[in-house]
Amino acid sequence: MVQIGIIRNSVILFILFFFLSCVDKQQVKKQITITPVKLNVPKFNVDSAYSYIQKQVDFGPRVPNSREHEECANYLVTTLQRFGASTTVQEAVVNRYDGVNMNMKNIIGSFNPESYTRILLCAHWDTRFLADNDVVDVTKPIMGANDGGSGVGVLLEIARQIQTSPLEIGVDIIFFDVEDQGQPNGELNTNSDSWCLGSQYWSKNPHETNYFADYGILLDMVAGENARFTREGVSEKFASRIVDKVWNMGRKIGFSNFFVDEKTPGIIDDHLYINSIIHIPTINIVEYDNTTHNRFNKHHHKHSDNMNIIDKTTLNAVGQTVLEVLYNE
Ligand code: AHN
Ligand code: ZN
């Protein structure tokens, strides 16, 4: 009798556990299928981005140590704050290739600083002190609407969008200073590390100890008419899966004329130091034009880099693609 009792109880217990384990699995399954929350991707406002470029250009050339540079820095900080970002200004004195000391200001705006998953978006905000590709006024500074203004304009509009459509992931927007004060190409003993002094400094001394981001996207000269953004060599070497992600997204939403599936040589730009010093896989969205003096936009480091060459169709393609990537993470 006792043995039959034990067997009967065991059978009852077994059946009970069997059903419990089924219920458990169903609950887990339900939780898994409910979890994904698809965020609506906001629409990039290209007129807004354009106005942020105009605003920067209205200050005049933003050359380190100038009053225009100082005033533009204040504008960038207050605008990021107005859009709800926590801001940090990283200041240092760095040495230009010819020995001139430059007061550097890297400007950082963070959304969801407590989030573990983070994306870094960056662009340089300074403009070149020389028009060394021009034939007139070579020693005067350029306006830098495209080279300096355009990436910042797109990222300010993205900051404004994040404020109105909050994200769960963290986003850090960094405006690097002293990118464009390097030694002219072709001078004797050309020092390639004389460019990108702001990003070199930040990569060695990030604004937060142990700072890390899952990946980074650099925007440089993103407003040229019919610009072609190719798979640039440094991006491809350090972060080809991010190039895939961004280029596939750009093509998916209708911008295959801009996001071209062509590999082109690597260039020295802020992403090189972010990749090689702080090791955050970072890509560069930068115009490539094989037909020009230096394979960049045809107005590169000339006085013609002004508001007349800012193309809203290109700005929109870049801005909407980056927004799409962010809101699909
Ligand atoms: C070179 O000229 C090799 N690199 C500078 C990249 C750059 C300048 N981007 C904007 N201006
Ligand atoms: Zn430049």
Side-chain angles (χ1 to χ4, degrees):
M1 280 315 262
V2 174
Q3 270 180 350
I4 291 169
I6 289 171
I7 292 168
R8 190 196 55 203
N9 287 346
S10 303
V11 168
I12 290 169
L13 270 175
F14 179 80
I15 291 169
L16 205 70
F17 276 121
F18 179 78
F19 276 107
L20 273 176
S21 73
C22 283
V23 168
D24 237 358
K25 273 177 200 152
Q26 271 175 350
Q27 272 178 351
V28 169
K29 226 179 179 179
K30 254 186 207 160
Q31 278 173 352
I32 288 169
T33 50
I34 290 167
T35 309
V37 181
K38 178 93 178 67
L39 293 175
N40 283 324
V41 184
K43 194 174 148 21
F44 187 80
N45 185 326
V46 75
D47 295 321
S48 170
Y50 185 94
S51 77
Y52 303 141
I53 302 172
Q54 180 78 65
K55 180 79 187 180
Q56 294 170 78
V57 169
D58 285 347
F59 287 110
R62 284 84 68 207
V63 177
N65 300 345
S66 70
R67 182 172 54 85
E68 296 80 357
H69 182 264
E70 173 91 32
E71 285 172 354
C72 186
N74 294 337
Y75 160 73
L76 296 176
V77 173
T78 54
T79 306
L80 284 171
Q81 282 169 346
R82 186 156 64 83
F83 295 153
S86 321
T87 59
T88 311
V89 180
Q90 181 177 58
E91 295 193 57
V93 176
V94 293
N95 211 243
R96 200 167 68 185
Y97 67 90
D98 57 358
V100 173
N101 287 328
M102 314 237 85
N103 295 300
M104 176 208 84
K105 285 184 180 186
N106 288 330
I107 297 165
I108 301 138
S110 295
F111 292 92
N112 296 335
E114 69 292 338
S115 284
Y116 188 69
T117 301
R118 312 201 66 75
I119 297 174
L120 167 63
L121 303 176
C122 51
H124 79 90
W125 73 274
D126 65 310
T127 56
R128 186 149 178 76
F129 72 117
L130 298 172
D132 43 344
N133 290 334
D134 214 322
V135 286
V136 292
D137 293 330
V138 174
T139 59
K140 287 185 182 160
I142 61 164
M143 270 303 174
N146 192 25
D147 188 2
S150 66
V152 171
V154 167
L155 294 185
L156 283 178
E157 168 58 8
I158 286 175
R160 191 182 71 85
Q161 295 287 354
I162 295 173
Q163 181 178 43
T164 33
S165 311
L167 281 164
E168 282 190 10
I169 57 168
V171 174
D172 302 295
I173 293 177
I174 307 191
F175 299 143
F176 289 117
D177 199 1
V178 205
E179 185 269 358
D180 227 349
Q181 318 304 325
Q183 186 172 20
N185 295 320
E187 274 191 10
L188 215 60
N189 302 320
T190 303
N191 173 11
S192 62
D193 285 341
S194 63
W195 300 85
C196 309
L197 300 187
S199 56
Q200 291 191 53
Y201 184 91
W202 177 82
S203 297
K204 291 168 192 158
N205 314 279
H207 63 292
E208 266 174 31
T209 40
N210 298 321
Y211 175 83
F212 201 69
D214 296 79
Y215 63 88
I217 302 176
L218 171 67
L219 308 184
D220 193 10
M221 297 181 276
V222 291
E225 188 182 8
N226 298 322
R228 294 173 80 250
F229 304 114
T230 53
R231 302 179 65 108
E232 174 271 338
V234 170
S235 312
E236 191 72 14
K237 177 182 171 190
F238 290 98
S240 62
R241 70 185 174 88
I242 309 303
V243 181
D244 287 340
K245 187 198 282 272
V246 174
W247 263 240
N248 288 342
M249 183 60 86
R251 278 205 286 272
K252 185 180 151 192
I253 63 173
F255 302 125
S256 46
N257 291 345
F258 295 97
F259 292 92
V260 180
D261 197 14
E262 179 189 333
K263 288 185 187 178
T264 54
I267 63 164
I268 291 158
D269 209 339
D270 294 321
H271 68 317
L272 171 63
Y273 301 97
I274 302 171
N275 278 303
S276 63
I277 298 174
I278 194 169
H279 305 298
I280 295 169
T282 301
I283 65 158
N284 194 1
I285 303 180
V286 58
E287 180 175 354
Y288 180 81
D289 185 348
N290 207 4
T291 69
T292 69
H293 49 293
N294 51 18
R295 299 181 176 181
F296 292 127
N297 178 278
K298 60 173 172 281
H299 304 283
H300 186 242
H301 297 174
K302 294 181 182 181
H303 294 294
S304 52
D305 182 353
N306 56 37
M307 287 310 286
N308 297 333
I309 70 158
I310 301 301
D311 186 89
K312 287 189 181 177
T313 309
T314 307
L315 280 181
N316 182 62
V318 173
Q320 191 62 54
T321 300
V322 175
L323 271 183
E324 209 79 37
V325 168
L326 281 186
Y327 283 80
N328 277 288
E329 283 301 342

